[in-house]
Amino acid sequence: MTNQKKKILIVEDEKNIAQVLAFNLMQAGYDYDIAQDGEEGLRKALKGSFDLILLDIMLPKMDGFTVCRGIRMRLDTPIIMVTAKEEEIDKIMGLDLGADDYVTKPFSINVLLARIKANMRRASNEVVTGAKNSAVITVRDLVIDNEKYLVTKRGEELSLSKIEYDLLSFLAAHPEKPFSREELLTQVWGYEEFYGDRRTVDVTVSRLRAKVEDDPSHPQYIFSKHGLGYYFA
């Protein structure tokens, strides 16, 4: 019995880019579908069963940020934003809206395929972190339940994305130990050393602090140590 192919939705209005992506995904063993504007992309994403979504930012009818927000209201499907822009604010905004990763045009197909593979592995819990050794981690008001995949604070459930949960759980499983951005990209994101953008870690930590800390500017759980990285206290 053969394994079912993973299916990827390409949301891209430039036909030549969409065709290049489709060809390379097919060569890599994936199935695919294509949407050529934001409205079609959101509709297909919500109706179809996709394992990952490649989402361009500059789209007709509905931009990629709006599509990403709409998908995240309903689904946890991994999203890789594809942008022609170099501005840091676009990358940060995409991650803030719940995207898992981003690539900037022009990009290497090999790098993109590696990022796709890493995101799918993490989404299917194939990236093993040290947190899996502890069923429940309790630190003051915070409870991380790795069996239920649930985080509560003072008894209230926190709404975390999968990458936010994975990062928090990993850091909490190694209290007081600082991890560099590169180590976190390898251990939590599952990326190869040169395939991850370090800024992704900073933005995810910022989002996580906003949900976990009473005052993100004066954290009680997630700290940074200059020159070493992030750690859980």
Side-chain angles (χ1 to χ4, degrees):
M1 182 177 179
T2 58
N3 293 327
Q4 185 176 2
K5 287 185 178 181
K6 301 287 188 181
K7 190 172 183 180
I8 296 174
L9 176 62
I10 304 166
V11 189
E12 170 62 67
D13 63 313
E14 295 185 45
K15 290 185 178 180
N16 59 327
I17 294 178
Q19 289 170 355
V20 168
L21 288 172
F23 173 79
N24 283 278
L25 290 177
M26 185 174 61
Q27 291 292 102
Y30 298 110
D31 280 338
Y32 67 89
D33 194 2
I34 297 174
Q36 294 184 332
D37 62 62
E39 289 182 356
E40 182 186 15
L42 180 57
R43 184 172 64 253
K44 285 189 173 183
L46 296 180
K47 286 181 64 177
S49 297
F50 295 99
D51 297 284
L52 184 137
I53 297 168
L54 291 176
L55 177 59
D56 193 21
I57 289 180
M58 303 299 290
L59 294 166
K61 297 186 179 180
M62 182 184 293
D63 64 60
F65 296 129
T66 306
V67 175
C68 182
R69 186 186 298 112
I71 294 170
R72 276 292 168 263
M73 291 175 67
R74 299 265 300 276
L75 302 172
D76 291 326
T77 308
I79 298 173
I80 298 179
M81 303 289 284
V82 182
T83 173
K85 295 186 175 182
E86 288 289 352
E87 285 87 347
E88 193 76 5
I89 188 64
D90 289 317
K91 301 173 182 178
I92 293 172
M93 186 171 177
L95 293 170
D96 276 340
L97 291 172
D100 297 86
D101 199 1
Y102 56 81
V103 292
T104 303
K105 299 175 186 175
F107 48 79
S108 159
I109 287 294
N110 288 335
V111 169
L112 178 61
L113 290 174
R115 303 273 273 269
I116 288 171
K117 182 178 178 181
N119 276 280
M120 284 187 174
R121 286 181 60 228
R122 187 173 53 77
S124 59
N125 295 317
E126 292 177 24
V127 176
V128 180
T129 69
K132 301 300 181 285
N133 296 326
S134 303
V136 179
I137 301 172
T138 303
V139 183
R140 298 185 293 280
D141 298 327
L142 200 65
V143 178
I144 304 166
D145 190 329
N146 288 306
E147 290 185 346
K148 297 180 179 177
Y149 221 76
L150 180 71
V151 178
T152 58
K153 185 176 181 182
R154 302 187 188 101
E156 295 292 326
E157 181 179 349
L158 300 182
S159 177
L160 303 183
S161 68
K162 189 175 190 305
I163 188 59
E164 290 165 355
Y165 177 92
D166 288 345
L167 178 59
L168 176 64
S169 188
F170 178 78
L171 291 174
H174 304 86
E176 308 297 338
K177 176 177 171 56
F179 289 90
S180 69
R181 294 168 179 84
E182 291 82 0
E183 288 173 322
L184 291 172
L185 285 169
T186 300
Q187 296 292 323
V188 181
W189 273 258
Y191 294 157
E192 299 293 336
E193 184 177 356
F194 297 108
Y195 288 160
D197 190 315
R198 291 185 299 170
R199 182 62 177 157
T200 303
V201 178
D202 297 329
V203 175
T204 305
V205 168
S206 177
R207 290 199 336 246
L208 185 56
R209 279 176 171 162
K211 296 178 180 182
V212 169
E213 307 285 359
D214 289 334
D215 181 0
S217 62
H218 296 87
Q220 299 298 310
Y221 297 101
I222 305 168
F223 291 82
S224 58
K225 187 168 289 188
H226 184 67
L228 293 177
Y230 294 105
Y231 68 97
F232 187 92

